Amino acid sequence: MTDRLMLLDTASLYFRAFYGVPDTIRRGDGTPVNAVRGLLDMIARLTTDYGATHLVACWDDDWRPQWRVDLIPSYKSHRVAKEVAGAPDVEVVPDALEAQIPMIRRVLKLAGIAVVGAADHEADDVIGTYASHAALPVDVVTGDRDLFQIVDDARQVRVVYTARGMKNLEVLTEADVVGKYRVLPVQYADYATLRGDTSDGLPGVAGIGEKTAASLLGEYGTLDGLLAAAAEAGSGLSTAVRSKLAAAADYLAVAPAVVKIVRNLELPTLEEAGAQLHPVPGGSRAELEGLATEWNLGGSVTRLLEALDLRR
């Protein structure tokens, strides 16, 4: 089997599992386990279907880093349940999902699946760093469009996009990103900056939508190139676009740093993180099998164990 790294946008997946698997699936004490079961089934299927030999469940140690909020206060503000001074804010998460996150962490640990986060950074930044420096092909599993910016054919970095559900996965290369948005992956962060993203609380430039953003980047290449043209009287850029860019000058000065994924975090190597997949050994295997019964995890644990057994 050719070595291949899979990077999971873990929160994206367990949220999808929570909403995709009936919440009537519960432990004997009534605690829901639908997200746990759904996530394990996703991992079993994904690693098998895409031939992953290495896997990192990338974690949001800080889902809304303060340095991003300092630049754009509206960043993810609509998803804040409680602000916490000197620590990550509390995200709006359904109680029934919140109760399952410790279970998810425990099962992943028992299965020998590497979980990696980074202080003051999101899972996207962990993904961006590993994908940018891995010496093997990479599949990034996410429902987040922001990660399209790290797609790189030369480095064999693809996105397995989950937005349409696990039955309709899309594997995106550079050509696919261009086909969807008419911009290259290296232009995607600038495109998202101009267009904005309500799901992340990014206002964008008023009056510039997806088509206009793509058209401008097609002509000027980068946001810096576009702003340089706006500052040059004879560049040919329309008065209307100049006016829109000028009105958004404060936002455009800081937004790129917020939108661009960090690619240079100090993280454990894949070897140090224990990213290589392998069958689950005796003691951990017995504990997982016990939890399958105790937590009513059904065949999800069995399917995960079988998938990992293929990595002998």
Side-chain angles (χ1 to χ4, degrees), residues 51-105:
T53 58
H54 296 68
L55 177 70
V56 179
C58 301
W59 207 265
D60 283 317
D61 276 13
D62 191 340
W63 68 279
R64 187 178 183 247
Q66 188 60 46
W67 59 270
R68 282 187 164 114
V69 176
D70 288 343
L71 294 172
I72 298 183
S74 63
Y75 183 65
K76 295 185 178 180
S77 60
H78 59 296
R79 290 158 55 184
V80 175
K82 180 181 178 183
E83 293 187 356
V84 181
D89 292 334
V90 177
E91 185 179 10
V92 175
V93 178
D95 291 344
L97 174 55
E98 187 73 38
Q100 299 181 63
I101 294 175
M103 300 182 193
I104 289 170
R105 292 290 299 247

Side-chain angles (χ1 to χ4, degrees), residues 63 78 84-85 108 141 167 175 194 206 240 256 273 291:
W63 68 279
H78 59 296
V84 181
L108 293 178
V141 185
K167 293 182 179 179
L194 289 166
L291 291 177

